[in-house]
Amino acid sequence: MLEKKVTKYIKDHNLLHVGEKLLVGVSGGPDSLALLHFLHSMSGQYGLGLVAAHVDHMFRGEESYEDLVFVKKYCEERSIVFEGTRVNVNRYMSETGQSSQTAARTLRYRFYQEMMVKHSIHKLVLGHHGDDQMETILMRLTRGASGAARAGIPVKRPFGNGEIVRPFLPLEKRDILEYCSRQGLEPRLDPSNEKESYSRNRFRLSVLPFLKRENIKAHEHFQRFSKEIREDEELLLELTKSKMESIWVKQSKLESAIHVKGLMAMPNSLQRRAVQLILNYLYGENPESLSAKHTSQLMELFVNPDPSAELHFPKGLLVKKSYEVCMFSFLQTKPKTYYLKLEVPGEILLPNGYKIKAEYSKGSACKNDNSTFLMPAREARMPFIARTREEGDRMYPKGLRGSKKIKDIFINEKIPIEKRDAWPIVVDSSGEILWVPSLRKSSREAERGDDQQIYIYLEYIKV
């Protein structure tokens, strides 16, 4: 039964204490509603004070507002303190350039932190369960995660001036649904959880059922894997930190430097973690655009026999090697310009965390949105070049008469000023602008559907 599993898990991991005041994140779905109900059922015995926090992301209009009303009514009927808010995620996405999921999470956790301060609470309780853990680990491994990220969702972690705890991690989704049924709970259901347009849903709907058919206790094995990875990572990080003390030349958030030879003398497993510690220190919280590929680039820079080389990382971080010292600096004010030849087939990695992939293809097999560009191979003036913008750049946008300044396109699309200098402009050998990835295509782009000829197909992809 859920009650027995969760009570044991709380005790084993020292998650909750008698007389504590807790903030509970409640969406109104089965997981969070079961969590709130469970905590409320034990609140009298353990003297727990509960505050339920709900965030309406306004993705589903009136339907998502009804979720807020539902949670509020549930709390009022049980004298649970309720805090709810509505946030315009779409507007925040346009302001920051973040994806829908990242923007929603940022605003949700910001509200949680505000409520913890308001109510003097130091513990946020969330309803993530064992199936969530499996999804997260699989997604991260598929995307090439390294280090502690492979461990998935932690049982508890620091958050603001307190911590986040997750007492439902030993459970499967079916445990929660059985509890809701047994307790007469009627949670709200989010139809977007069934859409395969979200990668997490694809893992949930297709991969997890297969793994559970292979092993009914798969979620327990994933949880053990998470625990072991996290413990191993803690030990390796401690070893790395002890080695790091001797390789810092300069240590500052804005500008730091290390001895390359000292870092390369470490075992490989510690080298990788040293690089991650350096980036964690500099960024504080790593940007979404920072990936394992950047870590690989940095390692390649260290072993490169050339005495001088540099890399441009997200958020304006310049990495510059000069003989045996490598400098990391945010002090530069403008990204370096680039002029990169695009081979077909082939791909180029860009300083902004994206890449452009080029291949020969048939028209009907290609995606058709602003992240792609298609041109008959016989009409192409090669080579294609990806470069930074230049003064006076203009293009002839598809579907419009006349030309348009690239500067105006950036303004119209509300691209932040700090992103414009690193944004790729794709031109042909004559210098004509063909494509501003994700924003506009030129009139030179082909119409889709013709499979009688060979096309050059370009795609702008996040790394």
Side-chain angles (χ1 to χ4, degrees), residues 89-125:
V89 178
N90 286 323
R91 183 172 64 194
Y92 186 74
M93 288 166 58
S94 66
E95 292 172 353
T96 62
Q98 292 181 353
S99 67
S100 60
Q101 298 299 306
T102 301
R105 185 184 186 281
T106 298
L107 294 176
R108 183 168 65 251
Y109 278 74
R110 181 183 296 173
F111 179 69
Y112 290 157
Q113 196 158 0
E114 290 170 356
M115 292 306 100
M116 291 173 75
V117 172
K118 176 180 177 180
H119 294 277
S120 300
I121 294 174
H122 300 287
K123 194 165 285 183
L124 170 63
V125 191

Side-chain angles (χ1 to χ4, degrees), residues 206-215:
S206 301
V207 182
L208 262 63
F210 166 75
L211 293 176
K212 290 188 175 189
R213 286 194 300 270
E214 292 292 309
N215 190 329

Side-chain angles (χ1 to χ4, degrees), residues 294-314:
H294 291 97
T295 302
S296 298
Q297 285 182 314
L298 198 49
M299 295 302 297
E300 290 170 9
L301 179 76
F302 293 151
V303 300
N304 191 322
D306 291 339
S308 299
E310 63 182 48
L311 296 169
H312 292 264
F313 275 19

Side-chain angles (χ1 to χ4, degrees), residues 136-405:
T136 301
I137 291 173
L138 289 168
M139 287 170 66
R140 291 184 180 177
L141 289 175
T142 302
R143 291 172 181 170
S146 59
R150 295 170 299 167
I153 305 170
V155 178
K156 51 186 174 182
R157 72 168 177 87
F159 179 67
N161 292 323
E163 64 178 349
I164 294 174
V165 300
R166 298 178 172 93
F168 272 16
L169 279 180
L171 304 176
E172 291 183 273
K173 183 74 172 188
R174 63 183 179 183
D175 295 325
I176 294 170
L177 295 177
E178 185 276 332
Y179 179 83
C180 289
S181 176
R182 181 159 44 85
Q183 297 295 335
L185 302 177
E186 297 182 357
R188 301 279 294 176
L189 299 178
D190 183 351
S192 68
N193 289 334
E194 302 302 316
K195 293 181 179 178
E196 292 204 357
S197 55
Y198 296 114
S199 60
R200 181 175 288 276
N201 290 354
R202 293 194 292 274
F203 278 91
R204 178 183 302 136
L205 299 173
S206 301
V207 182
L208 262 63
F210 166 75
L211 293 176
K212 290 188 175 189
R213 286 194 300 270
E214 292 292 309
N215 190 329
I216 196 170
K217 293 189 176 182
H219 70 289
E220 295 179 10
H221 299 318
F222 270 77
Q223 194 59 38
R224 187 180 69 248
F225 172 81
S226 173
K227 180 174 180 291
E228 291 173 355
I229 286 287
R230 207 168 292 281
E231 290 172 348
D232 292 349
E233 192 64 26
E234 287 174 3
L235 174 60
L236 288 168
L237 281 176
E238 284 305 312
L239 290 172
T240 306
K241 287 176 183 176
S242 66
K243 300 277 189 182
M244 285 287 294
E245 293 176 7
S246 63
I247 72 168
W248 286 110
V249 176
K250 177 182 181 181
Q251 193 172 358
S252 160
K253 289 286 187 180
L254 291 178
E255 193 168 72
S256 293
I258 63 164
H259 284 293
V260 175
K261 190 176 285 187
L263 186 142
M264 299 309 294
M266 297 181 187
N268 288 340
S269 60
L270 300 192
Q271 287 180 27
R272 294 192 300 271
R273 286 162 179 84
V275 167
Q276 203 56 55
L277 283 173
I278 293 167
L279 294 175
N280 289 345
Y281 171 76
L282 292 165
Y283 282 112
E285 182 175 342
N286 286 349
E288 187 183 2
S289 56
L290 192 73
S291 68
K293 184 154 243 176
H294 291 97
T295 302
S296 298
Q297 285 182 314
L298 198 49
M299 295 302 297
E300 290 170 9
L301 179 76
F302 293 151
V303 300
N304 191 322
D306 291 339
S308 299
E310 63 182 48
L311 296 169
H312 292 264
F313 275 19
K315 291 196 171 181
L317 177 62
L318 174 65
V319 182
K320 192 169 185 178
K321 185 183 80 168
S322 180
Y323 295 94
E324 295 303 325
V325 173
C326 186
M327 180 76 73
F328 303 81
S329 176
F330 285 110
L331 296 180
Q332 58 164 2
T333 58
K334 192 174 183 179
K336 183 181 178 182
T337 59
Y338 56 85
Y339 190 89
L340 304 172
K341 182 179 177 181
L342 184 55
E343 301 285 356
V344 185
E347 63 179 51
I348 52 174
L349 190 66
L350 301 168
N352 64 351
Y354 283 75
K355 68 180 179 181
I356 295 177
K357 183 178 180 181
E359 62 187 18
Y360 292 106
S361 180
K362 292 185 176 181
S364 62
C366 303
K367 285 169 51 180
N368 183 15
D369 57 35
N370 281 335
S371 68
T372 66
F373 186 84
L374 189 72
M375 173 178 278
R378 57 184 171 77
E379 296 179 10
R381 295 190 291 256
M382 302 299 291
F384 288 168
I385 301 295
R387 62 165 173 80
T388 44
R389 62 173 178 161
E390 296 175 358
E391 188 68 25
D393 270 347
R394 303 183 75 94
M395 73 180 296
Y396 289 84
K398 189 174 183 178
L400 295 179
R401 289 185 177 181
S403 65
K404 194 175 184 68
K405 290 181 179 179

